[in-house]
């Protein structure tokens, strides 16, 4: 069945995102320095990731969940010694993350322009509904997509629901994204194609599940600009 | 044009929600008592609402936004004196709000059962994507709806998008909900019908915009169980 529809992840596939979170995490580790003992300092980042992991099912993805997990980590790591002024600073970092202007990745606008001539494009992202809508509206590329789907999580079932809503069969769909766990493996599982375009940073909770990756076969591009060439070389 | 489709709001229309937020607000005011001077104590609740209002455009609706606004209010009202242990307590109230079991309002299950025989039912709610999905899954009534739409906000434009997605014209649509601002006025504005079923509590930021209400005409029911009778009496 010929390819008709291409899905794109948004954060770290179309625009920068993880770099803002990483920068905030660095600031967070510095902020906590004086409020925890030396043995704890190296563990701040891993404590934050553990608390994010614990909260994921309840708080989901996105900047609000991250901010709540930072506050919780700050209290835990400082053994309740962190002052309110430092917590206020963390809250404002959360606001900054939500307000940060959208910066498209290199090559995105041109690649979408080329592909939109021959394929139906869908934007399929997960995270905070309001924040994702605001970034899409700001991005200047919303009109390239015939459908925009914001999911709470990316699973084989949620991809199938999206394809069903747009009357697309798995065999005619290809997904493009930076996360093997979210954008590649569940898509391969439903019998569709996927292309991995890594971002230079990966959030620990998006890291590959190596057993699954070992058995999965998919193509990886270092630059989204190579996508039209790869697609035209596929046996469609 | 005959009525074919009925939309239902979820929080405080199908199940209890605002009572949990109100109870948490009461606890919040008690918690802050010792950390602010007497003249401030009466103003804690209105400070919280002001901070929620200020954050609404950035944080949106739902329990995570509410928790972040409570933490910010606690720091502001206590002039930075609130200890981390109290902030930890607020974070855990946020978790409790997200984990609270869904309690259907009286009459909801039977009313949906009756209406589903003659109409297509849609669930149209706003708020946090993951939390709303989790409540819908828990509610036991998800299968009554032929569509479930979670919006970041309820505006005439967002209702039109939902109706368009489901190929429903405004003239064949009726919306049922507890909020005049979110479930009635924008629906009347697109030429559809709306029925207001008030909950006994209304969040300050959902309160009616009285100028608009004065010119709008809609029916109000004290009990959702009266809905099938009202609908059968409409000139369809």
């Amino acid at each position: 069945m010929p390819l008709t529809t291409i899905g794109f992840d948004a954060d770290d596939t179309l625009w920068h995102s993880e770099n803002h979170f990483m920068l905030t995490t660095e600031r967070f580790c510095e902020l906590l320095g004086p409020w925890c003992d030396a043995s704890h300092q190296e563990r701040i980042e891993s404590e934050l990731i553990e608390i994010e992991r614990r909260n994921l099912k309840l708080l989901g993805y996105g900047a609000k969940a991250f901010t709540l997990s930072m506050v919780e980590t700050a209290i835990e790591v400082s053994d309740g010694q962190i002052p309110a002024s430092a917590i206020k600073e963390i809250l404002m970092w959360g606001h900054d993350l939500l307000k940060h202007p959208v910066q498209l990745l290199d090559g995105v606008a041109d690649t979408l322009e080329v592909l939109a001539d021959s394929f139906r494009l869908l934007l399929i992202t997960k995270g905070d509904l309001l924040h994702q809508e605001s970034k899409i509206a700001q991005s200047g590329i919303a009109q390239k997509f015939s459908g925009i789907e914001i999911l709470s999580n990316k699973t084989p079932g949620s991809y199938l629901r999206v394809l069903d809503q747009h009357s697309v069969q798995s065999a005619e769909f290809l997904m493009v994204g930076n996360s093997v766990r979210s954008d590649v493996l569940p898509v391969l599982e439903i019998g569709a194609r996927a292309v991995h375009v890594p971002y230079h940073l990966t959030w620990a909770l998006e890291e590959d599940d190596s057993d699954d990756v070992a058995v999965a076969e998919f193509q990886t591009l270092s630059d989204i600009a190579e996508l039209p060439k790869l697609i035209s070389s596929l046996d469609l």
Side-chain angles (χ1 to χ4, degrees), chain A:
Chain A
M1 183 173 280
L3 184 70
T4 64
T5 307
I6 305 175
F8 287 87
D9 171 56
D11 289 344
D12 299 322
T13 299
L14 300 180
W15 51 67
H16 292 279
S17 171
E18 189 55 27
N19 60 337
H20 308 312
F21 283 85
M22 290 274 182
L23 204 65
T24 306
T25 302
E26 281 171 26
R27 282 188 191 147
F28 178 74
C29 294
E30 276 172 35
L31 179 83
L32 278 181
W35 313 108
C36 61
D37 61 39
S39 67
H40 241 125
Q41 280 190 42
E42 286 171 17
R43 286 177 36 222
I44 297 172
E45 198 175 335
S46 59
E47 288 271 341
L48 173 60
I49 289 164
E50 271 320 296
I51 285 177
E52 285 187 270
R53 192 190 304 276
R54 200 167 73 198
N55 287 338
L56 193 58
K57 215 172 157 187
L58 198 60
L59 304 183
Y61 296 92
K64 283 185 291 191
F66 178 62
T67 308
L68 288 165
S69 290
M70 278 195 291
V71 174
E72 191 177 334
T73 306
I75 297 170
E76 196 155 301
V77 164
S78 72
D79 202 17
Q81 299 307 302
I82 188 100
S85 57
I87 290 175
K88 179 72 187 279
E89 205 169 341
I90 296 169
L91 292 183
M92 293 306 108
W93 293 341
H95 286 205
D96 290 344
L97 282 170
L98 290 164
K99 285 190 284 196
H100 203 288
V102 172
Q103 299 166 308
L104 290 189
L105 284 158
D106 286 345
V108 161
D110 291 345
T111 303
L112 295 179
E113 184 77 28
V114 169
L115 292 172
D117 285 341
S118 314
F119 301 97
R120 181 164 42 168
L121 308 185
L122 300 176
L123 193 155
I124 306 174
T125 179
K126 70 181 179 197
D128 183 77
L129 187 59
L130 179 64
H131 190 207
Q132 293 294 343
E133 284 181 352
S134 142
K135 287 192 280 191
I136 293 161
Q138 258 190 72
S139 69
I141 52 171
Q143 77 289 350
K144 294 283 172 226
F145 297 96
S146 59
I148 291 171
E149 300 292 338
I150 302 168
L151 311 174
S152 61
N153 205 355
K154 284 176 165 175
T155 62
S158 59
Y159 279 107
L160 280 175
R161 274 195 299 280
V162 166
L163 295 187
D164 187 52
Q165 269 166 36
H166 292 274
S167 306
V168 176
Q169 294 190 49
S170 293
E172 50 176 330
F173 179 69
L174 180 146
M175 181 72 192
V176 180
N178 72 299
S179 168
V180 171
R181 178 187 286 269
S182 295
D183 302 316
V184 173
L185 297 180
V187 173
L188 297 180
E189 199 171 323
I190 63 166
R193 300 177 184 92
V195 174
H196 181 218
V197 188
Y199 188 69
H200 68 282
L201 301 168
T202 306
W203 180 39
L205 302 192
E206 280 297 343
E207 273 170 6
D208 313 339
D209 192 331
S210 52
D211 284 350
D212 290 342
V213 176
V215 297
E217 283 185 23
F218 54 89
Q219 288 191 274
T220 297
L221 291 178
S222 59
D223 191 330
I224 199 165
E226 299 162 17
L227 193 58
K229 205 172 118 196
L230 172 70
I231 287 172
S232 66
S233 76
L234 292 174
D235 180 22
L236 300 175

